[in-house]
Amino acid sequence: MSGRGRRAALPPTDFRKVPVLDADGLVLRPVSGAGNPLGVWDFRDSPGPVDFRRALVAALAAQGQGWGSEDTYRTIARTLRLFFKEAATAEPPVTSTEQITVEWWEEVDRRHPCPPLAAVIRRAPGLPEATRVFMETPRRRPPARRGRRRKEAHTREELKTIRNAAAATVRAGRLRIAANTAVLQRWRAGAIEPGDGDWSVGEVLDELARTGDLPRYRSSNDHSVTAYAERTLGFEGNAASLTRLFPTSDEIGAAAVLLIVHEAWNLSVLKKMDVPSWWPNADREDPAVHQVDTDKARRGRRRYASNTLVDVGEGSSGRALRHVLELTAQARTTLDLLGRSTAKLLVGHRGLGGGENLRDYATGNVLDGAIRRWQQHALADGVVLPQRIHAQALRHSAQAHHGRARNNTQTTHERDYQLLDEEVRDASRGAVELGLAQALASARQTVAMLLVDQVDGETEEAAELVAKEAKVDIEVARRIVGGQLRTPVASCADFLNSDHGAAGTPCAVSFLLCFACRNAVATGRDLPRIAYLHQAVESLRSAVTPAVWAADWAAHHARIGDFLTTYTTTDSRPRLVVAAVESDRELIHAMLERRLDP
């Protein structure tokens, strides 16, 4: 229902969803949940029997329900075409899903790994059950890929150099377009008289702004730029003339680099990014705060988010976005005039030719190519840059050096970016060492009780082991082994010199503090009581108020838990609780009820 309580309009009774498969079952035309087309994927020219191809294309259509990325379809469609070629060239050829054996699939998957393709093939009818089970079973990564490898990244200084170079390219393009746009506006406003030097420039720019192309001869055999346009623009050539109002591919690549360095956006996020449609400071004409919507499909239900970019001057993320908006504004205006309206942020002229090459960078690998071309041309012009710049390394570097999560969780930020960055690891080594030392000191103060687990009976060997491990006198060790110094939780090696009382006076604190006393020595026979004690204290959590738990029980519960975590395994603790006999349980309850206090 709508916000005012009206029922939403239903589709007409004769409405039918447009099929995503053509009649022959070999052409797939998927649509996203928002109704946007996701490309046309034609398998009619792939080798192999029609029924075999039709079954797998139908499986792709079924698997793709809910997908919203054209790039995802592009990747899987490319791999499916390779799969058809592998099937056709196999000996003997694989001509039906019934022939997809485990052995053959392993060989194909090794050459063309694409996990989503396995999910597609599993949907195809007739697939052998053994192959289906094999595809569904998670595979361990090869040894060379296991573990957390350190990611390729740029240093902080390299990142700054890249940002400055990209900003310079965007600035040059923005100023060029602004200067030509100013001439165009003056010409359209009648502020330039015929015969003035800029009048002919304004006239040519007007056609370029309306059509996305320069004035051309329209004869059947000649579509070259008119001599008038060439003279007017100084014979600078088609490519240079087109970029008087539109950004070049290099400049779009630089814009992508600039935004990645500032905001650590994925390339897929940038491809789909629209211009801001809402400004938190309600100042559309000259916004100081831009709110940008992002779409990161890999985050699943959390794919949609927003980023706030604040313009506080040169070098800020908000100013960088403003420059990119100014760089691409005329391109969006011209596309609107051509009936191809777009809200995409990254729009420019992607080649020679006319208005048909004025388009966005939302599909395929054109944005990757634009970044590569920008770097190549910048290096050729003498700009000092790292030898290899690509979006993944830039994003990783920005994540690591910005010091906070960008478009992911804090856990992902720390695990996948900061932990794998060489510079962050080196800079953090001192702090990590200090933290570990402090943690160790705190642990020793918190849980000081020692466990000597290998004590078996009241033998002299057991006493010598306790004396060695607990560093106590052999006579005290014999009394510990003999059970003469036992408390409800352990044995006390020095009753008159407790860590929690004055030296030379008998210990008078709760037995729960034995876990924080260096005189306490536990043996294996104490573990069932300790495990039962931890369970009993845990059960108190729901029986007391949070304030009482925090004040009276939380520290003891944590200390006992730390002791068990240090000396026992998760699987063994339930067995230890069961091993506690009735007398042990009564002793623990008496201690918790303060019936054993002195």
Side-chain angles (χ1 to χ4, degrees), residues 109-116 138-151 298 392 416 420:
D109 189 47
R110 186 167 53 251
R111 287 198 294 269
H112 310 292
C114 180
R139 292 286 170 285
R140 295 185 65 185
R141 289 182 175 179
R145 296 178 61 189
R146 284 201 296 268
R148 308 295 300 175
R149 66 180 181 87
R150 300 184 181 186
K151 290 189 175 182
R298 288 178 57 189
Q392 186 176 12
D416 294 347
L420 302 185

PDB file of all heavy atoms in Angstrom, residues 109-116 138-151 298 392 416 420:
ATOM      1  N   ASP A 109      37.067 -27.536 -16.050  1.00  0.00           N
ATOM      2  CA  ASP A 109      37.072 -26.539 -14.983  1.00  0.00           C
ATOM      3  C   ASP A 109      38.491 -26.083 -14.649  1.00  0.00           C
ATOM      4  O   ASP A 109      38.703 -24.949 -14.236  1.00  0.00           O
ATOM      5  CB  ASP A 109      36.390 -27.115 -13.735  1.00  0.00           C
ATOM      6  CG  ASP A 109      36.178 -26.065 -12.663  1.00  0.00           C
ATOM      7  OD1 ASP A 109      35.699 -24.964 -12.991  1.00  0.00           O
ATOM      8  OD2 ASP A 109      36.504 -26.335 -11.491  1.00  0.00           O
ATOM      9  N   ARG A 110      39.445 -26.984 -14.826  1.00  0.00           N
ATOM     10  CA  ARG A 110      40.841 -26.611 -14.569  1.00  0.00           C
ATOM     11  C   ARG A 110      41.330 -25.602 -15.603  1.00  0.00           C
ATOM     12  O   ARG A 110      42.088 -24.684 -15.282  1.00  0.00           O
ATOM     13  CB  ARG A 110      41.719 -27.860 -14.571  1.00  0.00           C
ATOM     14  CG  ARG A 110      43.164 -27.607 -14.183  1.00  0.00           C
ATOM     15  CD  ARG A 110      43.909 -28.890 -13.889  1.00  0.00           C
ATOM     16  NE  ARG A 110      43.801 -29.855 -14.974  1.00  0.00           N
ATOM     17  CZ  ARG A 110      43.099 -30.970 -14.917  1.00  0.00           C
ATOM     18  NH1 ARG A 110      42.428 -31.274 -13.812  1.00  0.00           N
ATOM     19  NH2 ARG A 110      43.052 -31.806 -15.949  1.00  0.00           N
ATOM     20  N   ARG A 111      40.875 -25.744 -16.855  1.00  0.00           N
ATOM     21  CA  ARG A 111      41.313 -24.824 -17.917  1.00  0.00           C
ATOM     22  C   ARG A 111      40.524 -23.521 -17.913  1.00  0.00           C
ATOM     23  O   ARG A 111      41.063 -22.456 -18.228  1.00  0.00           O
ATOM     24  CB  ARG A 111      41.192 -25.499 -19.290  1.00  0.00           C
ATOM     25  CG  ARG A 111      42.248 -26.554 -19.542  1.00  0.00           C
ATOM     26  CD  ARG A 111      42.341 -26.859 -21.037  1.00  0.00           C
ATOM     27  NE  ARG A 111      41.129 -27.481 -21.540  1.00  0.00           N
ATOM     28  CZ  ARG A 111      40.938 -28.793 -21.574  1.00  0.00           C
ATOM     29  NH1 ARG A 111      41.878 -29.618 -21.120  1.00  0.00           N
ATOM     30  NH2 ARG A 111      39.817 -29.309 -22.052  1.00  0.00           N
ATOM     31  N   HIS A 112      39.236 -23.594 -17.569  1.00  0.00           N
ATOM     32  CA  HIS A 112      38.389 -22.400 -17.604  1.00  0.00           C
ATOM     33  C   HIS A 112      37.609 -22.296 -16.291  1.00  0.00           C
ATOM     34  O   HIS A 112      36.391 -22.488 -16.259  1.00  0.00           O
ATOM     35  CB  HIS A 112      37.409 -22.462 -18.781  1.00  0.00           C
ATOM     36  CG  HIS A 112      38.052 -22.789 -20.082  1.00  0.00           C
ATOM     37  ND1 HIS A 112      38.915 -21.922 -20.719  1.00  0.00           N
ATOM     38  CD2 HIS A 112      37.981 -23.897 -20.869  1.00  0.00           C
ATOM     39  CE1 HIS A 112      39.332 -22.466 -21.843  1.00  0.00           C
ATOM     40  NE2 HIS A 112      38.786 -23.670 -21.950  1.00  0.00           N
ATOM     41  N   PRO A 113      38.285 -21.992 -15.186  1.00  0.00           N
ATOM     42  CA  PRO A 113      37.585 -21.955 -13.894  1.00  0.00           C
ATOM     43  C   PRO A 113      36.549 -20.835 -13.858  1.00  0.00           C
ATOM     44  O   PRO A 113      36.829 -19.687 -14.174  1.00  0.00           O
ATOM     45  CB  PRO A 113      38.721 -21.700 -12.889  1.00  0.00           C
ATOM     46  CG  PRO A 113      39.813 -21.069 -13.694  1.00  0.00           C
ATOM     47  CD  PRO A 113      39.713 -21.651 -15.069  1.00  0.00           C
ATOM     48  N   CYS A 114      35.342 -21.198 -13.490  1.00  0.00           N
ATOM     49  CA  CYS A 114      34.254 -20.217 -13.340  1.00  0.00           C
ATOM     50  C   CYS A 114      33.200 -20.866 -12.454  1.00  0.00           C
ATOM     51  O   CYS A 114      32.284 -21.536 -12.954  1.00  0.00           O
ATOM     52  CB  CYS A 114      33.670 -19.829 -14.697  1.00  0.00           C
ATOM     53  SG  CYS A 114      32.319 -18.621 -14.602  1.00  0.00           S
ATOM     54  N   PRO A 115      33.303 -20.723 -11.114  1.00  0.00           N
ATOM     55  CA  PRO A 115      32.356 -21.390 -10.209  1.00  0.00           C
ATOM     56  C   PRO A 115      30.885 -21.161 -10.552  1.00  0.00           C
ATOM     57  O   PRO A 115      30.087 -22.097 -10.446  1.00  0.00           O
ATOM     58  CB  PRO A 115      32.725 -20.802  -8.838  1.00  0.00           C
ATOM     59  CG  PRO A 115      34.170 -20.443  -8.974  1.00  0.00           C
ATOM     60  CD  PRO A 115      34.341 -19.987 -10.388  1.00  0.00           C
ATOM     61  N   PRO A 116      30.459 -19.935 -10.969  1.00  0.00           N
ATOM     62  CA  PRO A 116      29.029 -19.785 -11.304  1.00  0.00           C
ATOM     63  C   PRO A 116      28.573 -20.678 -12.447  1.00  0.00           C
ATOM     64  O   PRO A 116      27.400 -21.021 -12.527  1.00  0.00           O
ATOM     65  CB  PRO A 116      28.921 -18.295 -11.686  1.00  0.00           C
ATOM     66  CG  PRO A 116      30.066 -17.634 -10.985  1.00  0.00           C
ATOM     67  CD  PRO A 116      31.167 -18.649 -11.003  1.00  0.00           C
ATOM     68  N   PRO A 138      32.102 -28.438  -1.903  1.00  0.00           N
ATOM     69  CA  PRO A 138      33.122 -27.370  -1.900  1.00  0.00           C
ATOM     70  C   PRO A 138      34.507 -27.947  -2.132  1.00  0.00           C
ATOM     71  O   PRO A 138      34.854 -29.011  -1.617  1.00  0.00           O
ATOM     72  CB  PRO A 138      32.991 -26.761  -0.496  1.00  0.00           C
ATOM     73  CG  PRO A 138      31.626 -27.143  -0.037  1.00  0.00           C
ATOM     74  CD  PRO A 138      31.344 -28.480  -0.646  1.00  0.00           C
ATOM     75  N   ARG A 139      35.275 -27.269  -2.929  1.00  0.00           N
ATOM     76  CA  ARG A 139      36.639 -27.703  -3.227  1.00  0.00           C
ATOM     77  C   ARG A 139      37.641 -26.886  -2.446  1.00  0.00           C
ATOM     78  O   ARG A 139      37.507 -25.664  -2.321  1.00  0.00           O
ATOM     79  CB  ARG A 139      36.939 -27.514  -4.733  1.00  0.00           C
ATOM     80  CG  ARG A 139      36.134 -28.469  -5.613  1.00  0.00           C
ATOM     81  CD  ARG A 139      36.708 -29.887  -5.504  1.00  0.00           C
ATOM     82  NE  ARG A 139      35.883 -30.884  -6.122  1.00  0.00           N
ATOM     83  CZ  ARG A 139      34.757 -31.358  -5.627  1.00  0.00           C
ATOM     84  NH1 ARG A 139      34.274 -30.868  -4.533  1.00  0.00           N
ATOM     85  NH2 ARG A 139      34.102 -32.327  -6.227  1.00  0.00           N
ATOM     86  N   ARG A 140      38.642 -27.573  -1.900  1.00  0.00           N
ATOM     87  CA  ARG A 140      39.740 -26.845  -1.256  1.00  0.00           C
ATOM     88  C   ARG A 140      40.581 -26.180  -2.330  1.00  0.00           C
ATOM     89  O   ARG A 140      40.813 -26.734  -3.399  1.00  0.00           O
ATOM     90  CB  ARG A 140      40.617 -27.798  -0.444  1.00  0.00           C
ATOM     91  CG  ARG A 140      39.905 -28.432   0.728  1.00  0.00           C
ATOM     92  CD  ARG A 140      40.869 -29.263   1.544  1.00  0.00           C
ATOM     93  NE  ARG A 140      41.884 -28.417   2.150  1.00  0.00           N
ATOM     94  CZ  ARG A 140      42.911 -28.904   2.833  1.00  0.00           C
ATOM     95  NH1 ARG A 140      43.072 -30.205   2.960  1.00  0.00           N
ATOM     96  NH2 ARG A 140      43.794 -28.096   3.363  1.00  0.00           N
ATOM     97  N   ARG A 141      41.061 -25.006  -2.037  1.00  0.00           N
ATOM     98  CA  ARG A 141      41.905 -24.303  -2.998  1.00  0.00           C
ATOM     99  C   ARG A 141      43.233 -25.021  -3.152  1.00  0.00           C
ATOM    100  O   ARG A 141      43.709 -25.664  -2.218  1.00  0.00           O
ATOM    101  CB  ARG A 141      42.167 -22.873  -2.519  1.00  0.00           C
ATOM    102  CG  ARG A 141      40.944 -21.972  -2.599  1.00  0.00           C
ATOM    103  CD  ARG A 141      41.301 -20.576  -2.158  1.00  0.00           C
ATOM    104  NE  ARG A 141      40.184 -19.661  -2.329  1.00  0.00           N
ATOM    105  CZ  ARG A 141      40.234 -18.376  -2.006  1.00  0.00           C
ATOM    106  NH1 ARG A 141      41.337 -17.872  -1.500  1.00  0.00           N
ATOM    107  NH2 ARG A 141      39.186 -17.608  -2.192  1.00  0.00           N
ATOM    108  N   PRO A 142      43.845 -24.912  -4.313  1.00  0.00           N
ATOM    109  CA  PRO A 142      45.174 -25.489  -4.470  1.00  0.00           C
ATOM    110  C   PRO A 142      46.136 -24.897  -3.460  1.00  0.00           C
ATOM    111  O   PRO A 142      45.966 -23.754  -3.024  1.00  0.00           O
ATOM    112  CB  PRO A 142      45.570 -25.083  -5.905  1.00  0.00           C
ATOM    113  CG  PRO A 142      44.281 -24.768  -6.581  1.00  0.00           C
ATOM    114  CD  PRO A 142      43.353 -24.266  -5.531  1.00  0.00           C
ATOM    115  N   PRO A 143      47.173 -25.654  -3.050  1.00  0.00           N
ATOM    116  CA  PRO A 143      48.098 -25.161  -2.032  1.00  0.00           C
ATOM    117  C   PRO A 143      48.665 -23.792  -2.341  1.00  0.00           C
ATOM    118  O   PRO A 143      48.863 -22.979  -1.462  1.00  0.00           O
ATOM    119  CB  PRO A 143      49.196 -26.233  -2.018  1.00  0.00           C
ATOM    120  CG  PRO A 143      48.522 -27.474  -2.509  1.00  0.00           C
ATOM    121  CD  PRO A 143      47.494 -27.008  -3.498  1.00  0.00           C
ATOM    122  N   ALA A 144      48.912 -23.511  -3.621  1.00  0.00           N
ATOM    123  CA  ALA A 144      49.534 -22.223  -3.966  1.00  0.00           C
ATOM    124  C   ALA A 144      48.609 -21.058  -3.670  1.00  0.00           C
ATOM    125  O   ALA A 144      49.060 -19.939  -3.495  1.00  0.00           O
ATOM    126  CB  ALA A 144      49.914 -22.203  -5.446  1.00  0.00           C
ATOM    127  N   ARG A 145      47.296 -21.323  -3.590  1.00  0.00           N
ATOM    128  CA  ARG A 145      46.353 -20.228  -3.387  1.00  0.00           C
ATOM    129  C   ARG A 145      45.851 -20.154  -1.965  1.00  0.00           C
ATOM    130  O   ARG A 145      45.141 -19.229  -1.603  1.00  0.00           O
ATOM    131  CB  ARG A 145      45.165 -20.387  -4.339  1.00  0.00           C
ATOM    132  CG  ARG A 145      45.519 -20.281  -5.795  1.00  0.00           C
ATOM    133  CD  ARG A 145      44.296 -20.495  -6.648  1.00  0.00           C
ATOM    134  NE  ARG A 145      43.277 -19.505  -6.380  1.00  0.00           N
ATOM    135  CZ  ARG A 145      42.046 -19.580  -6.870  1.00  0.00           C
ATOM    136  NH1 ARG A 145      41.698 -20.593  -7.625  1.00  0.00           N
ATOM    137  NH2 ARG A 145      41.159 -18.651  -6.589  1.00  0.00           N
ATOM    138  N   ARG A 146      46.159 -21.151  -1.130  1.00  0.00           N
ATOM    139  CA  ARG A 146      45.664 -21.123   0.229  1.00  0.00           C
ATOM    140  C   ARG A 146      46.392 -20.066   1.019  1.00  0.00           C
ATOM    141  O   ARG A 146      47.544 -19.736   0.771  1.00  0.00           O
ATOM    142  CB  ARG A 146      45.810 -22.489   0.892  1.00  0.00           C
ATOM    143  CG  ARG A 146      44.778 -23.485   0.435  1.00  0.00           C
ATOM    144  CD  ARG A 146      44.647 -24.597   1.439  1.00  0.00           C
ATOM    145  NE  ARG A 146      45.864 -25.363   1.572  1.00  0.00           N
ATOM    146  CZ  ARG A 146      46.142 -26.443   0.884  1.00  0.00           C
ATOM    147  NH1 ARG A 146      45.275 -26.873  -0.010  1.00  0.00           N
ATOM    148  NH2 ARG A 146      47.257 -27.094   1.074  1.00  0.00           N
ATOM    149  N   GLY A 147      45.717 -19.576   2.067  1.00  0.00           N
ATOM    150  CA  GLY A 147      46.336 -18.577   2.911  1.00  0.00           C
ATOM    151  C   GLY A 147      45.995 -17.174   2.465  1.00  0.00           C
ATOM    152  O   GLY A 147      45.397 -16.938   1.432  1.00  0.00           O
ATOM    153  N   ARG A 148      46.386 -16.218   3.264  1.00  0.00           N
ATOM    154  CA  ARG A 148      46.108 -14.823   2.990  1.00  0.00           C
ATOM    155  C   ARG A 148      47.337 -14.193   2.365  1.00  0.00           C
ATOM    156  O   ARG A 148      48.317 -13.892   3.028  1.00  0.00           O
ATOM    157  CB  ARG A 148      45.758 -14.080   4.288  1.00  0.00           C
ATOM    158  CG  ARG A 148      44.663 -14.735   5.105  1.00  0.00           C
ATOM    159  CD  ARG A 148      43.352 -14.718   4.388  1.00  0.00           C
ATOM    160  NE  ARG A 148      42.922 -13.370   4.098  1.00  0.00           N
ATOM    161  CZ  ARG A 148      41.842 -13.103   3.382  1.00  0.00           C
ATOM    162  NH1 ARG A 148      41.127 -14.073   2.874  1.00  0.00           N
ATOM    163  NH2 ARG A 148      41.491 -11.854   3.161  1.00  0.00           N
ATOM    164  N   ARG A 149      47.342 -14.012   1.069  1.00  0.00           N
ATOM    165  CA  ARG A 149      48.505 -13.429   0.421  1.00  0.00           C
ATOM    166  C   ARG A 149      48.456 -11.912   0.565  1.00  0.00           C
ATOM    167  O   ARG A 149      47.405 -11.298   0.621  1.00  0.00           O
ATOM    168  CB  ARG A 149      48.549 -13.805  -1.055  1.00  0.00           C
ATOM    169  CG  ARG A 149      47.422 -13.229  -1.889  1.00  0.00           C
ATOM    170  CD  ARG A 149      47.544 -13.650  -3.332  1.00  0.00           C
ATOM    171  NE  ARG A 149      46.504 -13.088  -4.148  1.00  0.00           N
ATOM    172  CZ  ARG A 149      46.567 -11.900  -4.726  1.00  0.00           C
ATOM    173  NH1 ARG A 149      47.637 -11.158  -4.546  1.00  0.00           N
ATOM    174  NH2 ARG A 149      45.583 -11.455  -5.461  1.00  0.00           N
ATOM    175  N   ARG A 150      49.625 -11.323   0.599  1.00  0.00           N
ATOM    176  CA  ARG A 150      49.697  -9.884   0.700  1.00  0.00           C
ATOM    177  C   ARG A 150      49.343  -9.259  -0.646  1.00  0.00           C
ATOM    178  O   ARG A 150      49.849  -9.661  -1.682  1.00  0.00           O
ATOM    179  CB  ARG A 150      51.102  -9.464   1.144  1.00  0.00           C
ATOM    180  CG  ARG A 150      51.468 -10.040   2.507  1.00  0.00           C
ATOM    181  CD  ARG A 150      52.815  -9.548   2.975  1.00  0.00           C
ATOM    182  NE  ARG A 150      53.132 -10.138   4.272  1.00  0.00           N
ATOM    183  CZ  ARG A 150      54.201  -9.809   4.991  1.00  0.00           C
ATOM    184  NH1 ARG A 150      55.048  -8.916   4.539  1.00  0.00           N
ATOM    185  NH2 ARG A 150      54.411 -10.376   6.152  1.00  0.00           N
ATOM    186  N   LYS A 151      48.504  -8.269  -0.617  1.00  0.00           N
ATOM    187  CA  LYS A 151      47.990  -7.690  -1.848  1.00  0.00           C
ATOM    188  C   LYS A 151      48.961  -6.667  -2.418  1.00  0.00           C
ATOM    189  O   LYS A 151      49.704  -6.011  -1.707  1.00  0.00           O
ATOM    190  CB  LYS A 151      46.642  -7.017  -1.584  1.00  0.00           C
ATOM    191  CG  LYS A 151      45.508  -7.995  -1.301  1.00  0.00           C
ATOM    192  CD  LYS A 151      44.184  -7.273  -1.276  1.00  0.00           C
ATOM    193  CE  LYS A 151      43.020  -8.247  -1.116  1.00  0.00           C
ATOM    194  NZ  LYS A 151      41.722  -7.569  -1.125  1.00  0.00           N
ATOM    195  N   ARG A 298      27.996  -7.459  -4.775  1.00  0.00           N
ATOM    196  CA  ARG A 298      28.593  -8.550  -3.996  1.00  0.00           C
ATOM    197  C   ARG A 298      28.162  -8.521  -2.537  1.00  0.00           C
ATOM    198  O   ARG A 298      28.306  -9.511  -1.826  1.00  0.00           O
ATOM    199  CB  ARG A 298      30.118  -8.460  -4.060  1.00  0.00           C
ATOM    200  CG  ARG A 298      30.703  -8.833  -5.401  1.00  0.00           C
ATOM    201  CD  ARG A 298      32.209  -8.681  -5.403  1.00  0.00           C
ATOM    202  NE  ARG A 298      32.832  -9.479  -4.370  1.00  0.00           N
ATOM    203  CZ  ARG A 298      34.124  -9.400  -4.048  1.00  0.00           C
ATOM    204  NH1 ARG A 298      34.906  -8.554  -4.691  1.00  0.00           N
ATOM    205  NH2 ARG A 298      34.628 -10.152  -3.101  1.00  0.00           N
ATOM    206  N   GLN A 392      42.056  -2.316  -8.743  1.00  0.00           N
ATOM    207  CA  GLN A 392      42.099  -3.138  -7.531  1.00  0.00           C
ATOM    208  C   GLN A 392      43.202  -2.675  -6.585  1.00  0.00           C
ATOM    209  O   GLN A 392      42.988  -2.539  -5.372  1.00  0.00           O
ATOM    210  CB  GLN A 392      42.302  -4.606  -7.903  1.00  0.00           C
ATOM    211  CG  GLN A 392      42.207  -5.539  -6.696  1.00  0.00           C
ATOM    212  CD  GLN A 392      42.319  -6.994  -7.108  1.00  0.00           C
ATOM    213  OE1 GLN A 392      42.674  -7.300  -8.226  1.00  0.00           O
ATOM    214  NE2 GLN A 392      42.012  -7.884  -6.186  1.00  0.00           N
ATOM    215  N   ASP A 416      40.975  -7.932   5.065  1.00  0.00           N
ATOM    216  CA  ASP A 416      41.305  -8.033   3.645  1.00  0.00           C
ATOM    217  C   ASP A 416      42.120  -6.866   3.111  1.00  0.00           C
ATOM    218  O   ASP A 416      42.599  -6.934   1.968  1.00  0.00           O
ATOM    219  CB  ASP A 416      40.020  -8.154   2.819  1.00  0.00           C
ATOM    220  CG  ASP A 416      39.288  -9.454   3.089  1.00  0.00           C
ATOM    221  OD1 ASP A 416      39.888 -10.339   3.709  1.00  0.00           O
ATOM    222  OD2 ASP A 416      38.112  -9.578   2.693  1.00  0.00           O
ATOM    223  N   LEU A 420      46.745  -7.126   5.066  1.00  0.00           N
ATOM    224  CA  LEU A 420      47.502  -7.622   3.920  1.00  0.00           C
ATOM    225  C   LEU A 420      48.379  -6.547   3.288  1.00  0.00           C
ATOM    226  O   LEU A 420      49.034  -6.811   2.286  1.00  0.00           O
ATOM    227  CB  LEU A 420      46.551  -8.179   2.857  1.00  0.00           C
ATOM    228  CG  LEU A 420      45.626  -9.302   3.329  1.00  0.00           C
ATOM    229  CD1 LEU A 420      44.825  -9.835   2.165  1.00  0.00           C
ATOM    230  CD2 LEU A 420      46.411 -10.422   3.978  1.00  0.00           C
TER     231      LEU A 420
END
